[in-house]
Amino acid sequence: MADKEVKSIDPATLEMLEKAARDGVSTAFERASTMRPCPIGAEGSCCSQCAMGPCRVPLPRGKEETPEEKKKRRGVCGATAETIAARNFVRKIAAGSAAHSDHGRRVTEAFLLVAKGEASGYGIKDEQKLLQLALDLGVTIGDRSNNEIALEIGEILLNEFGKQEGELLFLKRAPLKRQELWRQLGVAPRGIDREVVEAMHRTHMGVDQDYQNLLLQGTRTALADGWGGSMIATDLQDVMFGTPSPVASQINLGVLEEDEVNVIIHGHEPHLAEMLAIVSEDPELIEYAKSKGAKGINLAGMCCTANEILMRHGVPIAGNFLQQELAVVTGVVEAMVVDVQCIMQGLVSAAQCYHTKIITTDSRAKIEGATHMEFDEHNAVESAKAIMRAAIDNFPNRTENVYIPKGQKTDLIAGFSHETINYLLGGLFRASYRPLNDNIINGRIRGVAGVVGCNNPRVTHDEVHVAMVKELIKNDVLVLQTGCSAMALAKAGLMVPEAAAEYAGEGLAEVCETVGIPPVLHMGACVDNSRILIAATAMVKDGGLGDDISDLPAAGAAPEWMSEKAISIGQYFVASGVFTVFGVTWPTTGSKEVTDYLFKGHEALYGGKWAFEPDPIKAAQLMIDHIDKKRKALGIDKARERVLYDMEMRRELDKV
Ligand code: BF8
């Protein structure tokens, strides 16, 4: 691991941090070094649910707690450290699930406008996926028009949010054994909003005060995210905007252009980004940009919106979460257009040092000091054009204080949706995961890992992601990625097919070279973790690797997490049967019982469990050990041993 004082492993980030310091601009990196995390909050031992507190029940420092001391470690209402840690954890899940699901709801509402012909500029781009969705949901196809089918699908899926009874329809996509398990445990979500509301109710003062029971509701709320809100978002976005297929692009702050109008779209929901991608090529607007002295319009993405338009349009990415303020520090960004989630309020004060306009576009997310230009899906083209014109009008206001870390951009291939992987592996006419399963069974591929999630300035930016993924692929583990983690690996040059020969173990490299894919596959934004659930289910259904997700030689990780959404994602992966490792910090350490329940007890319940390991190599090793344990249980460890022996020999040969 690099020195803790090293802020990032990314040279572009380091260069821009120097400029930020010269310009006197505050960034998250600098604020993190002056703001020590509250140790009581960090371990989940602060309860602020009522005005008798906030109550702090931290573990004693530097000594073992006696049973007497433990008895006294309670809030004013008598809540134990267990109840408090579980409440805090479940509230994080509720917030994360709400964020992904409210995104899903907005997508569904936009989808309904499209179906009714009331959203100019949008349409149904992936008819095949629309029809597949109709089959999945029991919607009659017959000789109905796409819009009629879409209308019924949209209404069914919108109902998933407010449904009070039954269970979410997409749960049926999971392996049968998993569905049964969820029913037996009483964690099958009934309706998305209902589970979030119930989680908030049960964590209110004086309600659920049994940590295991609280965490069951945490699971139900998280499943409502992964197999509900997020999955709905992914599916409907694919139908409206196209299912991603392999696309080449570039990433990092070097994608900004000195002589063009630079517009960065930042946030999560892709409707506006889609429209900006289209209008950025509008000849009239390009002429308008020229009339202001620019050579053209350069659109780039930031955070998950970036992933959405990268996957579907190849729009370059300016950076991941911790680079948002640094993009402004270049001095060449005319507008940073934001919608919801992961948008730092610090952007506005950074922008005050330059000419950059921070444009908020969603009534749910306004920022004091930003310019608000509400995006209206009914008039999407006009709305997007107005925003683009505001950016162009700002070009003449640029000062001399500009610096782009030139050359700091890396090639990448993205667009690995579940459908694309299926097609690449099996071919158009018999798309399947069979070749992947076969290569896992014969040991060329040891297993599969999902490495996802955020950046966090408490650790060296991007370092933990990159070190973990390199260790995994070196050990023949195929890595699936989303979110800011995917961007870290793309910047490090691992998302091109040539990376297989350079970084992957012999078996994985051989498979990647045969299929022509990188050893690290970019599957999209954080809501697209639902694609990983579907891919895992497809592997189960293809046979030979057990009959549930928990049987697969697979693991998950969010090594630089910071967001409540990451906790929700982690919990739905665990509850879907996946061993999931988080880095940075762990939010329940204030209660040994709760932590043990998540780290050990959950395995007996779900076949998946949590782990915490901040060291990326050790964390990767935990994942590999888990994968090997699953290989052994499946009786496919022998094939792998032979390959390992070959690798040993190869290493010996390398030494000669
Ligand atoms: O949803 S990975 S920092 S951008 S929360 Fe945010 Fe984390 Fe990035 Fe996307 Ni996901």
Side-chain angles (χ1 to χ4, degrees), residues 100 268 303-304 321 341-342 453-455 483-485 526 562-563 565:
H100 284 144
H268 283 79
C303 284
C304 278
F321 176 65
Q341 299 169 25
C342 302
C454 323
N455 292 139
C484 291
S485 182
C526 285
M562 64 86 202
S563 155
K565 290 180 285 175

Side-chain angles (χ1 to χ4, degrees), residues 89 215 571 574 579-582 585-589 591-604 608-613:
F89 194 74
L215 287 166
Q571 186 71 13
V574 167
F579 172 61
T580 303
V581 191
F582 269 37
T585 184
W586 183 255
T588 67
T589 47
S591 163
K592 191 176 172 318
E593 282 88 338
V594 171
T595 305
D596 278 355
Y597 189 57
L598 295 166
F599 288 15
K600 295 178 192 147
H602 269 33
E603 191 165 33
K609 62 178 175 181
W610 286 95
F612 167 61
E613 176 50 70

Side-chain angles (χ1 to χ4, degrees), residues 39-111:
I40 300 169
E43 65 175 47
S45 293
C46 175
C47 183
S48 61
Q49 258 81 324
C50 82
M52 294 191 287
C55 297
R56 289 153 299 153
V57 292
L59 273 173
R61 311 281 166 198
K63 65 177 182 89
E64 271 294 304
E65 184 177 40
T66 65
E68 269 317 297
E69 284 170 330
K70 183 160 174 19
K71 258 193 217 156
K72 287 192 199 142
R73 204 150 61 88
R74 288 171 180 264
V76 173
C77 71
T80 61
E82 284 56 61
T83 297
I84 291 171
R87 271 182 187 162
N88 287 329
F89 194 74
V90 171
R91 284 211 163 183
K92 282 186 181 11
I93 294 173
S97 182
H100 284 144
S101 300
D102 208 36
H103 168 166
R105 183 199 328 271
R106 278 301 272 263
V107 170
T108 313
E109 285 169 347
F111 185 79

Side-chain angles (χ1 to χ4, degrees), residues 132-148:
Q132 184 57 51
L133 204 47
L135 291 175
D136 288 356
L137 296 171
V139 171
T140 308
I141 296 173
D143 54 4
R144 299 166 91 194
S145 71
N146 280 350
N147 279 9
E148 282 171 319

Side-chain angles (χ1 to χ4, degrees), residues 643-655:
V643 178
L644 262 179
Y645 178 66
D646 287 344
M647 284 176 65
E648 278 305 313
M649 282 175 62
R650 192 173 49 138
R651 280 198 203 102
E652 288 304 317
L653 283 173
D654 284 345
K655 284 185 203 154

Side-chain angles (χ1 to χ4, degrees), residues 221-529:
T221 311
L223 289 173
D225 172 357
W227 296 87
S230 282
M231 200 170 273
I232 291 172
T234 297
D235 272 35
L236 295 186
Q237 285 168 188
D238 281 356
V239 174
M240 275 192 287
F241 309 134
T243 301
S245 57
V247 63
S249 190
Q250 291 189 310
I251 183 166
N252 216 340
L253 292 164
V255 304
L256 297 173
E257 298 288 351
E258 196 153 351
D259 46 13
E260 295 189 26
V261 173
N262 289 297
V263 178
I264 293 185
I265 174 82
H266 170 24
H268 283 79
E269 296 176 1
H271 345 357
L272 169 59
E274 280 287 320
M275 247 341 120
L276 285 176
I278 292 165
V279 304
S280 67
E281 290 173 357
D282 182 301
E284 218 176 282
L285 282 173
I286 293 172
E287 273 314 306
Y288 188 54
K290 287 182 179 163
S291 77
K292 300 283 176 182
K295 285 205 174 136
I297 300 169
N298 181 38
L299 181 69
M302 179 73 63
C303 284
C304 278
T305 294
N307 285 329
E308 300 278 7
I309 46 171
L310 164 76
M311 298 279 283
R312 298 194 179 90
H313 298 278
V315 170
I317 295 186
N320 51 4
F321 176 65
L322 279 179
Q323 291 179 288
Q324 54 187 282
E325 291 165 312
L326 302 178
V328 173
V329 173
T330 61
V332 298
V333 176
E334 274 56 56
M336 185 171 284
V337 184
V338 303
D339 58 4
V340 291
Q341 299 169 25
C342 302
I343 298 146
M344 291 190 194
Q345 189 161 4
L347 279 175
V348 172
S349 37
Q352 279 159 0
C353 301
Y354 308 92
H355 74 308
T356 306
K357 262 185 192 300
I358 305 296
I359 302 179
T360 53
T361 59
D362 191 301
S363 59
R364 295 167 296 175
K366 294 189 178 180
I367 307 176
E368 197 185 336
T371 305
H372 188 73
M373 296 180 76
E374 188 108 358
F375 177 62
D376 174 13
E377 284 107 346
H378 294 88
N379 290 305
V381 179
E382 276 319 306
S383 267
K385 279 186 176 173
I387 291 167
M388 200 55 98
R389 270 191 223 104
I392 295 169
D393 286 338
N394 199 23
F395 183 78
N397 298 328
R398 249 195 224 177
T399 68
E400 295 288 292
N401 182 14
V402 299
Y403 178 77
I404 299 172
K406 291 223 177 68
Q408 297 285 3
K409 52 183 173 183
T410 312
D411 291 338
L412 76 141
I413 308 278
F416 294 95
S417 56
H418 152 71
E419 289 81 352
T420 293
I421 297 176
N422 218 2
Y423 160 68
L424 284 173
L425 291 171
L428 185 58
F429 296 107
R430 49 172 201 87
S432 90
Y433 277 66
R434 194 67 251 153
L436 175 61
N437 284 19
D438 285 344
N439 278 304
I440 291 175
I441 292 164
N442 71 28
R444 276 193 197 91
I445 295 179
R446 190 178 201 144
V448 178
V451 182
V452 307
C454 323
N455 292 139
N456 188 321
R458 301 290 169 199
V459 296
T460 302
H461 169 234
D462 286 350
E463 184 194 42
V464 198
H465 291 299
V466 173
M468 171 183 279
V469 171
K470 280 186 175 169
E471 185 67 15
L472 288 167
I473 62 173
K474 190 173 87 187
N475 284 284
D476 293 308
V477 176
L478 176 68
V479 175
L480 309 178
Q481 291 215 276
T482 60
C484 291
S485 182
M487 298 186 205
L489 270 296
K491 281 185 275 173
L494 273 83
M495 284 196 178
V496 287
E498 306 82 68
E502 193 175 345
Y503 298 103
E506 195 174 26
L508 176 62
E510 194 185 324
V511 176
C512 290
E513 278 161 22
T514 311
V515 185
I517 53 172
V520 182
L521 302 181
H522 194 330
M523 295 188 82
C526 285
V527 290
D528 296 327
N529 284 317

